[in-house]
Amino acid sequence: MGKGGGCVPSKNRPPKGVSDKDLQNPESDGPVSDQNQTQTTQTNPIDHAIAQRQLRVFIVFYSMYGHVEVLARRMKKGVDSIDGVEGFLYRVPETLSSEVLEQMKVPKKDGNADEVPVILAERLVEADGLLFGFPTRYGSMAAQMKAFFDSTGHLWREQRLAGVPAGFFVSTGTQGGGQETTA
């Protein structure tokens, strides 16, 4: 994005496609006569609340051993650094049993203050933007993420996510370990 052409309009530049001459100068372009004109100073509280609302980007990920979670936290840090945008971390539901996870020596999610909440597909409609993160398993995404995406079918059928920008990030244990085929 860089140099003011990103999501948040620059306060010092006119929008793209608008020249400086097209913008009104409030000091010199005001009305010639203010007869028959009334000025109201009331502000609509709803408009004010909308103007103050930050964009919400949901960072939804699956991380068995914590590597993708580290990436997700870094993504959140970057999203939060943009004025007017706030990132929210969510993990997808686990599909494996606790016995299988124990045999795989997966670190326990101990419910501390840093615990990331599990998201349900219905919550995706609350986001202004989505980022999905998942590990690569044999050149494909993890089954837990596939199951989550499968659970969003009704949202797509009803067009409830139409127009919501989305992106993704992936991770593997080795260089050239399948990131390109996962994408």
Side-chain angles (χ1 to χ4, degrees), residues 17 22 34 43 47 64 77-79 105 115-116 141 144 159 161 166 172-173 175 180:
D22 293 338
D34 57 351
T43 59
D47 291 341
M64 183 176 282
K77 185 177 178 182
V79 167
K105 298 181 179 24
E115 179 64 24
V116 177
M141 76 176 74
Q144 290 83 347
Q159 296 288 309
L161 295 175
T172 62
Q175 183 178 10
E180 64 284 343

Side-chain angles (χ1 to χ4, degrees), residues 68-77 89 114-116:
V68 177
E69 183 172 351
V70 170
L71 290 174
R73 289 184 185 280
R74 295 278 174 102
M75 294 291 243
K76 181 181 179 340
K77 185 177 178 182
L89 291 175
D114 286 345
E115 179 64 24
V116 177

Side-chain angles (χ1 to χ4, degrees), residues 121-169:
E122 291 74 27
R123 296 274 325 267
L124 293 178
V125 298
E126 299 170 17
D128 298 306
L130 299 166
L131 286 172
F132 297 102
F134 42 88
T136 295
R137 301 279 161 75
Y138 300 103
S140 186
M141 76 176 74
Q144 290 83 347
M145 203 70 190
K146 285 183 184 179
F148 179 76
F149 284 142
D150 288 344
S151 73
T152 65
H154 66 285
L155 298 176
W156 296 107
R157 183 177 55 249
E158 297 167 5
Q159 296 288 309
R160 294 185 60 201
L161 295 175
V164 178
F168 63 91
F169 53 98

